[in-house]
């Protein structure tokens, strides 16, 4: 039953992503902007573990990017091993462009699927302060906020 739910949601996410891609390519600014890989420390019942997120972003205008994130997390909760698979739609708004530093904020909302004792649930992340550093194809980023990814997220992005 759980595998069937994951398959249905995965198909819906792929279809939504395809729709966003077709619509974005019709726009003047629309292009695949970046693939992102990030790590976050998240708190379980009594320990910290790592949430890994892979995502992509389309650039709709100079200030606005949108995309989707897919995450995986494995940890312990009440002495049971719990695995989480999640997906979330995300939007980034750039405050300031510099030669090598870009300041932005982001918000994400989606759904988390859990194995073990936890129930599936709505997830969100709000990062009012975030920064990208670099001006080549590979840039680093750090985000400060709260939600399912925790307080601090850091990672690398590859720009197309």
């Amino acid at each position: 039953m759980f595998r069937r739910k994951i398959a249905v949601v995965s198909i819906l996410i792929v279809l939504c992503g395809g729709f966003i891609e077709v619509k974005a390519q019709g726009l003047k600014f629309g292009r695949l902007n970046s693939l992102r890989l990030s790590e976050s420390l998240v708190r379980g019942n009594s320990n910290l573990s790592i949430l890994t997120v892979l995502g992509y972003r389309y650039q709709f205008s100079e200030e606005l990017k949108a995309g989707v994130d897919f995450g995986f997390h494995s940890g312990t909760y009440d002495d049971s091993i719990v695995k989480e698979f999640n997906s979330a739609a995300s939007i980034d708004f750039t405050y300031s462009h510099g030669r090598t530093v870009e300041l932005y904020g982001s918000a994400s909302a989606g759904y988390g699927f859990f194995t073990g004792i936890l129930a599936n649930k709505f997830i969100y992340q709000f990062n009012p302060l975030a920064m990208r550093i670099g001006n080549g194809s590979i840039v680093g980023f750090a985000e400060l906020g709260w939600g399912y990814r925790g307080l601090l997220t850091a990672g690398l992005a590859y720009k197309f």
Side-chain angles (χ1 to χ4, degrees):
M1 186 67 170
F2 181 71
R3 288 182 185 177
R4 195 167 123 195
K5 287 181 183 179
I6 288 176
V8 169
V9 170
S10 299
I11 289 169
L12 289 173
I13 289 168
V14 169
L15 291 175
C16 290
F19 173 73
I20 292 169
E21 180 177 350
V22 169
K23 184 171 177 138
Q25 288 177 354
L27 297 172
K28 187 172 186 176
F29 288 100
R31 61 183 171 86
L32 181 62
N33 183 50
S34 62
L35 289 173
R36 301 163 35 109
L37 179 63
S38 64
E39 301 276 331
S40 303
L41 286 175
V42 292
R43 183 166 174 73
N45 195 20
S46 61
N47 61 357
L48 292 175
S49 55
I50 295 176
L51 169 68
T52 302
V53 177
L54 177 65
Y56 70 86
R57 298 287 184 275
Y58 274 154
Q59 184 171 341
F60 289 101
S61 69
E62 207 169 303
E63 295 85 20
L64 187 64
K65 295 175 186 164
V68 64
D69 294 325
F70 300 98
F72 173 75
H73 169 247
S74 179
T76 58
Y77 188 83
D78 287 340
D79 297 328
S80 297
I81 294 176
V82 176
K83 293 182 181 177
E84 172 191 1
F85 301 91
N86 60 55
S87 63
S90 184
I91 189 163
D92 299 355
F93 183 79
T94 302
Y95 304 130
S96 173
H97 292 282
R99 189 170 196 89
T100 58
V101 176
E102 183 178 291
L103 299 176
Y104 67 98
S106 67
S108 302
Y111 202 72
F113 302 94
F114 295 87
T115 63
I117 60 171
L118 297 176
N120 299 337
K121 66 178 180 176
F122 172 78
I123 58 173
Y124 68 92
Q125 179 73 28
F126 178 64
N127 299 315
L129 183 59
M131 176 175 42
R132 284 186 195 91
I133 300 174
N135 60 0
S137 293
I138 297 178
V139 297
F141 64 91
E143 300 171 337
L144 182 64
W146 60 90
Y148 77 100
R149 285 192 237 158
L151 184 63
L152 181 64
T153 302
L156 295 173
Y158 176 74
K159 289 185 174 183
F160 287 77

